[in-house]
């Protein structure tokens, strides 16, 4: 009998959970989303954080295998991207 894989973040049925938050955080959340939009907002935040955590893990794995990124090369690529973005905006 085959087992079904666990659903990925953002997939599967929705079910309620209980979390504890500071009152100020709840007030800010309600002000931003209204009472009915809180769950969707929190879901999106958690998914984004999980993506960032996974990206950090992938970067750490790559740095373990290949060493840290050459900062001069990173800055050169950033400069290239910035000049390309500026050039394409000017062309439009």
């Amino acid at each position: 009998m085959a087992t079904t894989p666990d659903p990925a973040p953002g997939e599967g049925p929705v079910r309620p959970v209980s979390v504890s938050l500071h009152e100020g955080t709840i007030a800010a959340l309600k002000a931003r989303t209204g009472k009915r939009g809180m769950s969707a907002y929190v879901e999106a935040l958690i998914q984004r954080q999980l993506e960032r955590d996974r990206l950090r893990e992938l970067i750490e794995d790559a740095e373990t295998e290949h060493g840290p990124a050459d900062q001069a090369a990173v800055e050169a690529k950033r400069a290239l991207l910035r000049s390309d973005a500026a050039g394409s905006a000017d062309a439009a």
Side-chain angles (χ1 to χ4, degrees):
M1 176 169 10
T3 61
T4 58
D6 289 333
E11 297 178 348
V14 175
R15 61 187 183 102
V17 296
S18 175
V19 297
S20 299
L21 302 171
H22 293 280
E23 284 188 31
T25 303
I26 295 167
L29 181 60
K30 284 182 180 179
R32 181 159 303 272
T33 66
K35 189 173 184 179
R36 305 283 302 163
M38 290 174 59
S39 291
Y41 192 84
V42 171
E43 170 80 15
L45 291 173
I46 292 169
Q47 286 184 33
R48 185 171 331 141
Q49 186 61 48
L50 290 169
E51 290 170 357
R52 288 179 178 199
D53 292 348
R54 182 63 182 134
L55 181 57
R56 170 57 41 206
E57 291 166 1
L58 290 170
I59 291 169
E60 289 171 358
D61 290 347
E63 287 180 342
T64 297
E65 185 174 341
H66 304 288
D70 176 5
Q71 285 303 313
V74 171
E75 290 305 320
K77 296 292 185 190
R78 281 187 180 144
L80 182 65
L81 289 171
R82 287 185 188 122
S83 67
D84 284 351
S88 64
D90 292 339

